[in-house]
Amino acid sequence: MSDLTRLSINQETIKQWSLPELAEGCAKAGIDKAGLWRGPVQEYGVERTARLLGDAGIGVTSLCRGGFLTAPDPAGRARALDDNRAALDEAAGLSTDTLVLVSGGLPAGSRDLYGARERVADALAELAPYAAERGVRLAIEPLHPMFASDRCVVSTLSQALDIAERFPAEQVGVVVDTYHVWWDDQAPAQIARAGAGGRIHSFQLADWITPLPAGVLLGRGQLGEGSVDFRALRQQVEDTGFTGPIEVEIFNESLWARDGSEVLAEVAARYLEHAC
Amino acid sequence: MSDLTRLSINQETIKQWSLPELAEGCAKAGIDKAGLWRGPVQEYGVERTARLLGDAGIGVTSLCRGGFLTAPDPAGRARALDDNRAALDEAAGLSTDTLVLVSGGLPAGSRDLYGARERVADALAELAPYAAERGVRLAIEPLHPMFASDRCVVSTLSQALDIAERFPAEQVGVVVDTYHVWWDDQAPAQIARAGAGGRIHSFQLADWITPLPAGVLLGRGQLGEGSVDFRALRQQVEDTGFTGPIEVEIFNESLWARDGSEVLAEVAARYLEHAC
């Protein structure tokens, strides 16, 4: 007996699929939730994507991604805010309640992580009301510390919550992604803190495997291949009362090189084996 | 006016040099301290290395490395303890007071970081008295969280100190390596904690640069190339009263491909520019 009712497939996991293939493949596999990315959605059209997935009975659990809010110059900051407002409009158009935010890295030549994090918080003060008007929650995703300089100055759940808690929980929360937090001995306490505040806006799964590839971005593992204890992390998340979707988001070229249906079947089987 | 009195060169930074070349090159450059690695020392001979460096007026600030103490099986554990006792003998033979420990990663198939860290602590209980008899301090080096699965289950200064503080400070302390801790907003408080307890047994410098190469081990940057605020970290370390050596340890193939004297001169200049 399988229970895929909580499972959501992030479309980047099966990047080789077009949106129509994703809609059809998920529907066939009995998976009724997906996380989307702005690039392919913009290409296909926001309204058209919403209709396509709606017709297939597939709900959108998150849109990736807004963020990149660390620019110190007024022009760069204005561009980033505009882009995030557009992302929030797209999220609303897709009827998803969650926009995932990757904060952005250090500006060129800067060594000031603290200042960069403060600029993220300042930007959220402008974006949160705009998000609230559209019924979309901003979900700050702490990325593994190996991304601190070039992609995301928010490296831990603790840092993400320090920012999120300046805003109402229905406006700003966090993403708990096993790939980014599995190593952190503070994660259990911070998951409890996030859950108690109603701030777990997204729960994502990927495994940690080595050796990491050059650039490290595409090194995520299929569930069960690596070091992540999914059952323990899911338990910690659910002990807080979380009953939301569980989204599998794996960036890995070896998965992209395979048949999409085969990858989807494998993800579902691994999810049942390792995370249920 | 240059002040290289605190500077130590870890030999891996100029791996292209033999030990005699290192001794001669450092002496010529007015640098009287070096950190050594077991492999080249064993090859050249412990006593011979001690004589070579002694004759050149160069002190050994640390020996890299012991550790790899996470094996769960009795045979693997016994082998690791034997190897660490040998490393302590070698450290004593070189008249260095510090053996750097890299804890080791998760055993194959294991997802239990907590259990692995406890095995490190258990092993130190056996090794600490042996080290004390030889006048050598064990220095637990937290490695960046990207090494947590395959190299070092101790990822933060906080975790390293939680283990070290079970033992007398003159037996077990920590390494503060900028490459591994620069991203951590808990580092300043943990450096203060380590210093207050007399447990900063080694202070090492390398810069954080991206993109990371495949395998990530050899991605360290020359001082000043990347995101690390060396002056701030040195200040934090010295605010605790630390007056020990400052060891530059960079693993980077582009440095190894160059003339050793040129690399040494560049390291010294960068040290003065960015860390003094």
Side-chain angles (χ1 to χ4, degrees), chain B residues 24-263:
Chain B
E24 190 191 341
C26 284
K28 265 193 196 159
I31 295 167
D32 66 357
K33 287 180 267 303
L36 301 184
W37 279 68
R38 292 182 69 196
V41 167
Q42 287 167 352
E43 208 171 298
Y44 194 77
V46 176
E47 275 180 54
R48 208 168 147 227
T49 303
R51 240 187 347 262
L52 173 77
L53 295 184
D55 288 349
I58 293 170
V60 180
T61 53
S62 72
L63 180 65
C64 289
R65 62 196 183 194
F68 294 88
L69 298 166
T70 54
D73 60 302
R77 178 182 158 83
R79 270 196 307 275
L81 289 173
D82 282 348
D83 187 53
N84 278 273
R85 286 188 203 99
L88 285 163
D89 293 340
E90 291 159 22
L94 295 167
S95 300
T96 180
D97 62 2
T98 303
L99 177 68
V100 172
L101 298 181
V102 171
S103 296
L106 286 171
S110 170
R111 299 183 174 100
D112 181 12
L113 285 170
Y114 300 86
R117 280 188 213 113
E118 278 311 302
R119 287 196 296 282
V120 173
D122 288 349
L124 290 182
E126 299 212 18
L127 294 172
Y130 191 91
E133 283 166 22
R134 277 147 194 82
V136 178
R137 308 174 303 181
L138 298 161
I140 304 170
E141 179 164 16
L143 258 52
H144 191 284
M146 69 186 178
F147 295 115
S149 70
D150 60 352
R151 194 168 293 267
C152 187
V153 294
V154 176
S155 302
T156 62
L157 280 171
S158 171
Q159 290 168 352
L161 286 164
D162 285 349
I163 296 174
E165 287 171 355
R166 304 185 196 183
F167 306 95
E170 66 277 12
Q171 290 178 19
V172 185
V174 301
V175 179
V176 177
D177 184 321
T178 62
Y179 188 76
H180 297 303
V181 309
W182 77 278
W183 63 272
D184 184 4
D185 61 358
Q186 306 299 308
Q190 297 301 321
I191 287 170
R193 172 184 168 194
R199 291 184 195 270
I200 301 179
H201 290 180
S202 175
F203 179 37
Q204 297 184 327
L205 310 185
D207 213 338
W208 177 270
I209 55 171
T210 57
L212 291 161
V216 307
L217 190 61
L218 306 184
R220 298 187 181 204
Q222 172 63 282
L223 312 188
E225 273 187 341
S227 306
V228 173
D229 187 341
F230 292 103
R231 213 166 269 116
L233 282 158
R234 179 172 172 171
Q235 191 64 53
Q236 291 161 24
V237 166
E238 301 202 340
D239 281 349
T240 72
F242 178 85
T243 56
I246 301 173
E247 194 174 309
V248 175
E249 186 189 50
I250 305 169
F251 311 150
N252 188 307
E253 287 177 331
S254 75
L255 295 187
W256 298 340
R258 290 166 53 192
D259 173 72
S261 302
E262 189 188 302
V263 173

Side-chain angles (χ1 to χ4, degrees), chain A residues 111 149 159 185 208 212 215 228, chain B residues 111 149 159 185 212 215 228:
Chain A
R111 299 183 174 100
S149 70
Q159 291 169 351
D185 62 357
W208 178 270
L212 291 161
V228 173
Chain B
R111 299 183 174 100
S149 70
Q159 290 168 352
D185 61 358
L212 291 161
V228 173

Side-chain angles (χ1 to χ4, degrees), chain A residues 143-154:
Chain A
L143 257 55
H144 191 284
M146 69 186 175
F147 295 115
S149 70
D150 61 352
R151 194 167 292 269
C152 187
V153 293
V154 175

Side-chain angles (χ1 to χ4, degrees), chain A residues 61 135 180 257:
Chain A
T61 52
H180 298 304

